Amino acid sequence: MATVRTARTNWDGDLQSGKGTVRFESSGLADADVTWVARSQEANGKTSPEELIAAAHSACFSMALSAALAKAGNPPESLDTKADVTFDPAAGGITGIHLTVHGKIPNLSASEFLDTAESAKANCPVSKALAATTITLQAVLD
């Protein structure tokens, strides 16, 4: 069954001095403020499209990796995934995504973990949607 999730942004003003509010309509999560300054310099309590992509990618990758590990008979005790999305306006936008995952998986070798993580990176729906971007991975067993 297909699902649709909806977010909406209301933007006031021009790019440089304007501001926006992201509303998470499907989940009802708290609104998030966005500005160009927060996107291109320091966050200062505001979000950015890149942070929202990082959130989506870290969650999707964690789900894909958890499923792949369980399917192989090695369900994880825990996975902690960080996604770093690099945004460089001078280079034309998003220049790369780096995933770092720490996993606690009994009876699994580091090479098996890395192989499974690489497969999850290639096959998670968000990775596929972001295929035009270079995505790198570091997988560490704890």
Side-chain angles (χ1 to χ4, degrees), residues 79-97:
L79 298 171
D80 180 29
T81 303
K82 178 175 80 163
D84 294 309
V85 176
T86 302
F87 175 70
D88 184 349
I94 294 173
T95 58
I97 300 170

mmCIF file of all heavy atoms in Angstrom, residues 79-97:
data_model
loop_
_atom_site.group_PDB
_atom_site.id
_atom_site.type_symbol
_atom_site.label_atom_id
_atom_site.label_comp_id
_atom_site.label_asym_id
_atom_site.label_seq_id
_atom_site.Cartn_x
_atom_site.Cartn_y
_atom_site.Cartn_z
ATOM 1 N N LEU A 79 21.441 0.364 16.272
ATOM 2 C CA LEU A 79 22.134 1.070 15.191
ATOM 3 C C LEU A 79 22.037 2.555 15.488
ATOM 4 O O LEU A 79 20.973 3.041 15.872
ATOM 5 C CB LEU A 79 21.481 0.789 13.830
ATOM 6 C CG LEU A 79 21.474 -0.643 13.332
ATOM 7 C CD1 LEU A 79 20.599 -0.768 12.089
ATOM 8 C CD2 LEU A 79 22.890 -1.112 13.045
ATOM 9 N N ASP A 80 23.136 3.257 15.321
ATOM 10 C CA ASP A 80 23.142 4.707 15.496
ATOM 11 C C ASP A 80 23.717 5.299 14.218
ATOM 12 O O ASP A 80 24.908 5.129 13.945
ATOM 13 C CB ASP A 80 23.980 5.106 16.713
ATOM 14 C CG ASP A 80 24.008 6.608 16.930
ATOM 15 O OD1 ASP A 80 23.041 7.289 16.557
ATOM 16 O OD2 ASP A 80 25.016 7.105 17.472
ATOM 17 N N THR A 81 22.876 5.943 13.429
ATOM 18 C CA THR A 81 23.289 6.458 12.121
ATOM 19 C C THR A 81 23.267 7.978 12.115
ATOM 20 O O THR A 81 22.287 8.592 12.502
ATOM 21 C CB THR A 81 22.344 5.937 11.014
ATOM 22 O OG1 THR A 81 22.329 4.517 11.047
ATOM 23 C CG2 THR A 81 22.802 6.412 9.647
ATOM 24 N N LYS A 82 24.367 8.536 11.632
ATOM 25 C CA LYS A 82 24.467 9.985 11.440
ATOM 26 C C LYS A 82 24.626 10.236 9.947
ATOM 27 O O LYS A 82 25.399 9.543 9.273
ATOM 28 C CB LYS A 82 25.670 10.537 12.199
ATOM 29 C CG LYS A 82 25.870 12.039 12.015
ATOM 30 C CD LYS A 82 26.990 12.583 12.877
ATOM 31 C CE LYS A 82 28.315 12.298 12.237
ATOM 32 N NZ LYS A 82 29.412 13.113 12.779
ATOM 33 N N ALA A 83 23.884 11.196 9.414
ATOM 34 C CA ALA A 83 24.024 11.604 8.023
ATOM 35 C C ALA A 83 24.508 13.050 7.991
ATOM 36 O O ALA A 83 23.873 13.927 8.579
ATOM 37 C CB ALA A 83 22.696 11.469 7.277
ATOM 38 N N ASP A 84 25.623 13.268 7.337
ATOM 39 C CA ASP A 84 26.164 14.614 7.151
ATOM 40 C C ASP A 84 25.939 15.008 5.697
ATOM 41 O O ASP A 84 26.523 14.404 4.792
ATOM 42 C CB ASP A 84 27.664 14.651 7.450
ATOM 43 C CG ASP A 84 27.980 14.369 8.902
ATOM 44 O OD1 ASP A 84 27.380 15.017 9.775
ATOM 45 O OD2 ASP A 84 28.828 13.499 9.171
ATOM 46 N N VAL A 85 25.098 16.006 5.470
ATOM 47 C CA VAL A 85 24.814 16.498 4.124
ATOM 48 C C VAL A 85 25.578 17.809 3.955
ATOM 49 O O VAL A 85 25.361 18.757 4.718
ATOM 50 C CB VAL A 85 23.303 16.710 3.910
ATOM 51 C CG1 VAL A 85 23.035 17.313 2.535
ATOM 52 C CG2 VAL A 85 22.550 15.395 4.085
ATOM 53 N N THR A 86 26.467 17.841 2.978
ATOM 54 C CA THR A 86 27.272 19.032 2.733
ATOM 55 C C THR A 86 26.603 19.903 1.677
ATOM 56 O O THR A 86 26.279 19.437 0.588
ATOM 57 C CB THR A 86 28.686 18.646 2.268
ATOM 58 O OG1 THR A 86 29.290 17.828 3.271
ATOM 59 C CG2 THR A 86 29.542 19.883 2.026
ATOM 60 N N PHE A 87 26.393 21.167 2.033
ATOM 61 C CA PHE A 87 25.790 22.158 1.142
ATOM 62 C C PHE A 87 26.803 23.252 0.878
ATOM 63 O O PHE A 87 27.321 23.871 1.805
ATOM 64 C CB PHE A 87 24.532 22.749 1.798
ATOM 65 C CG PHE A 87 23.906 23.865 1.013
ATOM 66 C CD1 PHE A 87 23.269 23.602 -0.186
ATOM 67 C CD2 PHE A 87 23.924 25.167 1.475
ATOM 68 C CE1 PHE A 87 22.670 24.631 -0.920
ATOM 69 C CE2 PHE A 87 23.336 26.196 0.761
ATOM 70 C CZ PHE A 87 22.704 25.930 -0.447
ATOM 71 N N ASP A 88 27.114 23.489 -0.397
ATOM 72 C CA ASP A 88 28.053 24.528 -0.788
ATOM 73 C C ASP A 88 27.420 25.347 -1.903
ATOM 74 O O ASP A 88 27.389 24.900 -3.060
ATOM 75 C CB ASP A 88 29.366 23.903 -1.253
ATOM 76 C CG ASP A 88 30.429 24.928 -1.590
ATOM 77 O OD1 ASP A 88 30.120 26.146 -1.681
ATOM 78 O OD2 ASP A 88 31.594 24.526 -1.780
ATOM 79 N N PRO A 89 26.872 26.529 -1.578
ATOM 80 C CA PRO A 89 26.219 27.337 -2.606
ATOM 81 C C PRO A 89 27.135 27.648 -3.788
ATOM 82 O O PRO A 89 26.691 27.656 -4.933
ATOM 83 C CB PRO A 89 25.818 28.613 -1.877
ATOM 84 C CG PRO A 89 25.802 28.262 -0.430
ATOM 85 C CD PRO A 89 26.826 27.170 -0.265
ATOM 86 N N ALA A 90 28.420 27.865 -3.512
ATOM 87 C CA ALA A 90 29.358 28.205 -4.580
ATOM 88 C C ALA A 90 29.589 27.030 -5.528
ATOM 89 O O ALA A 90 29.940 27.224 -6.691
ATOM 90 C CB ALA A 90 30.691 28.652 -3.973
ATOM 91 N N ALA A 91 29.379 25.807 -5.035
ATOM 92 C CA ALA A 91 29.587 24.610 -5.863
ATOM 93 C C ALA A 91 28.276 24.113 -6.473
ATOM 94 O O ALA A 91 28.236 23.030 -7.053
ATOM 95 C CB ALA A 91 30.234 23.513 -5.032
ATOM 96 N N GLY A 92 27.206 24.859 -6.289
ATOM 97 C CA GLY A 92 25.948 24.495 -6.906
ATOM 98 C C GLY A 92 24.975 23.747 -6.028
ATOM 99 O O GLY A 92 23.962 23.255 -6.494
ATOM 100 N N GLY A 93 25.269 23.635 -4.736
ATOM 101 C CA GLY A 93 24.299 23.005 -3.840
ATOM 102 C C GLY A 93 24.871 21.878 -3.005
ATOM 103 O O GLY A 93 25.946 21.992 -2.443
ATOM 104 N N ILE A 94 24.143 20.768 -2.956
ATOM 105 C CA ILE A 94 24.568 19.618 -2.149
ATOM 106 C C ILE A 94 25.706 18.915 -2.874
ATOM 107 O O ILE A 94 25.567 18.516 -4.033
ATOM 108 C CB ILE A 94 23.385 18.663 -1.906
ATOM 109 C CG1 ILE A 94 22.331 19.368 -1.042
ATOM 110 C CG2 ILE A 94 23.858 17.369 -1.228
ATOM 111 C CD1 ILE A 94 21.048 18.586 -0.873
ATOM 112 N N THR A 95 26.834 18.790 -2.194
ATOM 113 C CA THR A 95 28.028 18.213 -2.819
ATOM 114 C C THR A 95 28.337 16.805 -2.327
ATOM 115 O O THR A 95 29.214 16.149 -2.878
ATOM 116 C CB THR A 95 29.258 19.108 -2.578
ATOM 117 O OG1 THR A 95 29.444 19.262 -1.167
ATOM 118 C CG2 THR A 95 29.061 20.476 -3.227
ATOM 119 N N GLY A 96 27.646 16.335 -1.310
ATOM 120 C CA GLY A 96 27.876 14.975 -0.844
ATOM 121 C C GLY A 96 27.128 14.682 0.434
ATOM 122 O O GLY A 96 26.663 15.584 1.130
ATOM 123 N N ILE A 97 26.994 13.380 0.684
ATOM 124 C CA ILE A 97 26.367 12.895 1.912
ATOM 125 C C ILE A 97 27.271 11.817 2.478
ATOM 126 O O ILE A 97 27.693 10.909 1.751
ATOM 127 C CB ILE A 97 24.973 12.313 1.639
ATOM 128 C CG1 ILE A 97 24.064 13.383 1.022
ATOM 129 C CG2 ILE A 97 24.352 11.748 2.919
ATOM 130 C CD1 ILE A 97 22.748 12.837 0.491
#
